[in-house]
């Protein structure tokens, strides 16, 4: 068992930039926490890969963060949370928080007409991660799911206000609008990057659920509960790691987080696999 202290960093990982939507929430809610982020940009997307491949990648990502002596890992990826969370919890003796349960609870607290839409990667939707969790928490809700895989490369490219993105969103979301859902779970951490367009297409009366916000609230409760919330303001610099060239990640990440990233480094994922 690792020895934890309050000042140890929080590890966060995703297949690419999506997890930054969770980082942004954590930084605003828990400003005294130090973050170590890993985006597996060399192997994104995860959402169209098999469960066994995602489990393998997730173990390597978590291993990298674990070796940095983090006190907690946030799996800032719905795809990994859908298929690999139990496996990761078996492999690593530190707390691991995923996206699905917090996002499902948050959606249930917001819906009024009991009609909830869920969008995510092929993997998250095919594994019915949200619908199973939502049904388990409240058998009365109606759930309508839709895979929107093209949103991931659009977010990675930073195409947040393009006509093409709006057209794709209209095509994907049409059937959810017809179902008259009042709540839409953004069940992929890349999707909040496209919030503006998604909200425009869905209309102002539909509540968008950002699973990152829900997870950040859970992390806050969890750290308070076990007395591991950092109360020191001497946190040092956040660290960002990627598995491919950092230049594009840096541009999009800085624009999205609204700050410059001092420490961003490419790591050799093969080294982690071998170590
Ligand atoms: N951001 C991820 C998710 O929340 C994965 C996107 C992908 O790699 O396909 O599902």
């Amino acid at each position: 068992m690792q020895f934890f202290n309050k000042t140890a960093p929080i590890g966060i990982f995703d297949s690419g930039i999506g997890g930054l939507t969770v980082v942004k929430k954590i930084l605003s809610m828990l400003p005294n926490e130090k973050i170590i982020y890993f985006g597996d940009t060399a192997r994104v997307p995860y959402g169209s890969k098999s469960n066994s491949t995602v489990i393998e990648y997730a173990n390597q990502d978590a291993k990298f963060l674990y070796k940095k002596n983090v006190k907690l890992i946030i799996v800032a990826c719905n795809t990994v949370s859908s298929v690999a969370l139990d496996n990761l919890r078996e492999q690593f003796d530190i707390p691991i928080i995923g996206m699905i349960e917090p996002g499902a609870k948050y959606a249930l607290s917001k819906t009024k007409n009991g009609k909830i839409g869920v969008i995510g990667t092929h993997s998250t939707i095919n594994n019915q991660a949200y619908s199973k969790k939502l049904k388990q928490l409240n058998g009365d809700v109606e759930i309508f799911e839709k895979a929107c895989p093209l949103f991931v490369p659009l977010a990675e490219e930073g195409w947040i206000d393009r006509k093409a993105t709006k057209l794709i969103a209209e095509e994907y979301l049409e059937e959810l609008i017809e179902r008259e859902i009042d709540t839409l779970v953004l069940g992929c951490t890349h999707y909040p990057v496209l919030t503006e367009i998604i909200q425009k297409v869905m209309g102002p009366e539909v509540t968008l659920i950002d699973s990152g916000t829900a997870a950040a609230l859970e992390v806050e409760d969890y750290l308070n509960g076990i007395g591991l919330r950092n109360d020191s303001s001497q946190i040092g610099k956040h660290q960002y790691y990627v598995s491919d060239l950092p230049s594009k990640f840096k541009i999009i990440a800085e624009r999205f987080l609204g700050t410059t990233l001092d420490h961003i480094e490419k790591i050799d994922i093969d080294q982690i696999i071998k170590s």
Side-chain angles (χ1 to χ4, degrees):
M1 185 74 170
Q2 295 227 39
F3 174 73
F4 305 119
N5 63 52
K6 288 179 178 186
T7 54
I10 293 178
I12 303 181
F13 78 88
D14 177 47
S15 57
I17 62 153
L20 294 175
T21 62
V22 181
V23 170
K24 196 169 182 170
K25 302 291 174 193
I26 295 283
L27 292 178
S28 72
M29 283 184 205
L30 300 165
N32 291 345
E33 299 297 338
K34 176 175 164 158
I35 307 287
I36 300 186
Y37 183 84
F38 175 55
D40 193 6
T41 50
R43 303 189 297 193
V44 66
Y46 282 11
S48 49
K49 298 194 167 70
S50 67
N51 289 0
S52 58
T53 299
V54 173
I55 291 171
E56 184 189 331
Y57 289 178
N59 271 278
Q60 293 156 0
D61 304 342
K63 186 171 169 188
F64 171 72
L65 293 172
Y66 183 82
K67 288 186 160 186
K68 300 261 172 213
N69 295 320
V70 295
K71 63 183 171 190
L72 164 87
I73 290 179
I74 305 175
V75 178
C77 175
N78 286 267
T79 305
V80 173
S81 302
S82 300
V83 302
L85 199 62
D86 291 343
N87 183 287
L88 291 174
R89 285 180 172 153
E90 278 163 25
Q91 304 297 324
F92 298 94
D93 56 3
I94 58 171
I96 300 189
I97 291 187
M99 296 288 119
I100 310 297
E101 187 158 348
K105 284 186 185 156
Y106 201 38
L108 289 171
S109 76
K110 293 288 177 190
T111 184
K112 293 197 174 65
N113 72 1
K115 292 184 181 189
I116 300 176
V118 179
I119 53 175
T121 63
H122 278 306
S123 173
T124 300
I125 300 303
N126 291 345
N127 284 292
Q128 297 181 308
Y130 276 99
S131 52
K132 283 184 197 151
K133 186 50 78 181
L134 285 161
K135 283 280 174 203
Q136 183 194 328
L137 295 168
N138 179 345
D140 292 334
V141 285
E142 283 183 87
I143 301 145
F144 306 98
E145 297 186 285
K146 176 83 186 168
C148 304
L150 292 174
F151 282 169
V152 172
L154 290 168
E156 288 281 331
E157 284 300 321
W159 278 35
I160 53 177
D161 48 10
R162 302 288 184 105
K163 270 193 248 156
T165 309
K166 178 136 186 287
L167 282 175
I168 290 168
E170 281 166 353
E171 175 128 11
Y172 275 148
L173 300 173
E174 190 182 353
E175 61 192 81
L176 297 177
I177 296 170
E178 281 166 11
R179 300 291 191 169
E180 298 182 336
I181 59 163
D182 72 350
T183 305
L184 178 63
V185 178
L186 305 182
C188 169
T189 52
H190 279 71
Y191 297 178
V193 174
L194 307 175
T195 292
E196 221 171 283
I197 280 183
I198 296 172
Q199 188 77 71
K200 215 178 268 172
V201 172
M202 292 308 296
E205 58 293 336
V206 174
T207 306
L208 301 188
I209 303 295
D210 173 346
S211 53
T213 305
L217 287 166
E218 174 127 338
V219 170
E220 185 176 29
D221 272 1
Y222 184 80
L223 291 178
N224 285 337
I226 57 168
L228 273 186
R229 184 166 175 168
N230 193 0
D231 38 30
S232 157
S233 53
Q234 309 286 309
I235 56 168
K237 288 195 189 334
H238 304 302
Q239 295 168 21
Y240 295 84
Y241 296 89
V242 285
S243 51
D244 206 346
L245 288 180
S247 45
K248 196 168 79 181
F249 179 89
K250 186 171 161 64
I251 294 166
I252 297 174
E254 289 186 343
R255 189 167 72 195
F256 183 72
L257 294 175
T259 175
T260 43
L261 303 189
D262 300 311
H263 181 116
I264 168 162
E265 204 178 301
K266 178 185 180 303
I267 57 149
D268 185 352
I269 197 77
D270 288 332
Q271 282 301 112
I272 298 169
I273 298 167
K274 283 185 214 130
S275 64

